Amino acid sequence: MTGTVTVAEGGVAARPRPVPFSEFILKVHSRCNLACDYCYMYELADRSALSDPMLMAPAIFDHACQRIREHVRAHDQTDVRIVLHGGEPLLVGAPNLARMADRLREAVAPSQAQVSVQTNGTLLTPRALSLLADARVRVGVSLDGDRTSNDRHRRYASGRSSYDEVDRALRLLAERPDSYAGVLCVVDLAADPRETYETLVSYRPPMVDFLLPHANWEAPPPRRGDGPSPYGTWLAAAFDAWYDTSPRLTRVRLFEELINLLFGGRSRTESLGLSPVAAVVINTDGAYEQVDTLRSTYPGAVGTDLTVFTDSLDDVLRHPAVIARQVGVEALAASCRACPVHRVCGAGNYPHRYREGSFTNPSVYCPDLLLLIAHVQRRLRADLAAMPRERS
């Protein structure tokens, strides 16, 4: 399902019907071997992950499998996505990750589970990749561009570069396309957008996703004095680098999503549009959590006080904070509802709206999103206007 459904019962006013979770993020290891300075798990507002159990214990994993199976069957879901996450999930070891993937597939059968691992890439050896490939686990890697760009933020605690190990991992994945999920890249204003895009594409990923640094009204993003919308300007240049390439060498999730929404489609990501959140996190201690990027806002923002031992995933759907993420346009600030592109923007990523005590605000990146949307819209209109002449 991709939208909130309302139902009326016996003359009672229509009420939202929860959208079942279709993406399950399991925190299998709560530590990391890198010390990225923008990390929402360890460096921003909520650093409680540092005191969480290091590993997801077998009993917790078994309960998680049971809860996911219950949810999938209760809602007749034919396919779901499961992400083995961290911290750095490969600290668990590739053999254990492969066994977890097999167990999760058994749990949801006959429904299909697309299982992936999101890793920093430093521990992805040929042997580890072979084990994950055999278990049909797709691998996503984080890289912020070339060596200089990546090492600006993504280093070991000692300060040592992580680039060579990540470069090796991506070259391995380029030779195993069936196991290659894609590359995540955090936007850095100090990096050239076109060069960053070209660096990422050189690794032949099936998909690239550009992410805005996690920031909010209480902790604004660095702007470098580059005008009112430097992130929008950066992304617009990256869009042109992608859009003007023929044939296109990879998909770019952010840009494809913008085009989809501008043509009236429904959003398939929580960072744009109005589709309700359909992802849930299960922490190493068995606690259900909201999307983990909320750790960038304030301590405790991800908490639900529910666990796999005592509560079902339907109980999580009834949590007030989850309900608030599923009501669509009603959750937006009045200024956002009045904006002509609010169905495309959706007020941006939920954590980026935070101002003390409230998420009912525009995104801290509002000017950037407006610039990017207008730029993409202009490019599409120009191409559509030119189509009859090209055909003739």
Side-chain angles (χ1 to χ4, degrees), residues 12 37 51 58 76 128 137-138 153 157 172 179-180 197 209 211 219 246 268-269 289 298 312 315 341 345 362 383:
V12 179
D37 60 15
S51 60
D76 296 321
V137 177
R138 302 183 73 215
H153 302 285
L172 288 172
S179 300
Y180 201 173
Y197 170 75
D209 202 4
L211 309 176
S246 181
R268 296 160 295 192
T269 172
E289 295 183 346
Y298 66 90
S312 71
D315 292 329
V341 297
C345 170
D383 280 357

Side-chain angles (χ1 to χ4, degrees), residues 21 67 288 306 310-319:
F21 297 116
R67 294 303 188 183
Y288 294 117
L306 304 173
T310 57
D311 306 284
S312 71
L313 281 157
D314 275 12
D315 292 329
V316 184
L317 284 178
R318 290 187 283 269
H319 190 280

Side-chain angles (χ1 to χ4, degrees), residues 86-109:
E88 171 46 51
L90 276 169
L91 288 171
V92 171
N96 288 325
L97 293 175
R99 283 192 289 269
M100 287 179 170
D102 290 342
R103 174 75 178 87
L104 286 159
R105 286 200 180 89
E106 290 173 3
V108 303

Side-chain angles (χ1 to χ4, degrees), residues 27-31 54-56 85-89 91-92 284:
K27 295 286 187 174
V28 296
H29 201 294
S30 67
R31 306 294 190 272
M54 184 177 296
L55 297 169
M56 178 177 281
H85 212 286
E88 171 46 51
L91 288 171
V92 171
T284 55

Side-chain angles (χ1 to χ4, degrees), residues 32-155:
C32 189
N33 58 336
L34 293 187
C36 306
D37 60 15
Y38 54 50
C39 180
Y40 59 82
M41 291 290 291
Y42 313 112
E43 299 294 337
L44 301 183
D46 185 343
R47 303 185 183 188
S48 60
L50 293 170
S51 60
D52 287 337
M54 184 177 296
L55 297 169
M56 178 177 281
I60 293 174
F61 179 74
D62 287 344
H63 275 79
C65 290
Q66 293 169 21
R67 294 303 188 183
I68 293 171
R69 179 177 63 238
E70 291 171 0
H71 195 72
V72 169
R73 291 182 177 177
H75 296 280
D76 296 321
Q77 293 170 289
T78 57
D79 56 89
V80 294
R81 297 180 301 279
I82 301 174
V83 185
L84 303 176
H85 212 286
E88 171 46 51
L90 276 169
L91 288 171
V92 171
N96 288 325
L97 293 175
R99 283 192 289 269
M100 287 179 170
D102 290 342
R103 174 75 178 87
L104 286 159
R105 286 200 180 89
E106 290 173 3
V108 303
S111 301
Q112 299 296 308
Q114 181 188 97
V115 184
S116 64
V117 168
Q118 186 60 42
T119 172
N120 60 37
T122 59
L123 301 175
L124 190 69
T125 63
R127 173 62 176 161
L129 179 54
S130 179
L131 288 168
L132 294 173
D134 289 345
R136 295 178 291 137
V137 177
R138 302 183 73 215
V139 181
V141 176
S142 298
L143 178 75
D144 288 351
D146 62 15
R147 181 185 296 274
T148 300
S149 300
N150 191 71
D151 287 350
R152 194 173 288 119
H153 302 285
R154 301 184 63 81
R155 292 178 172 269

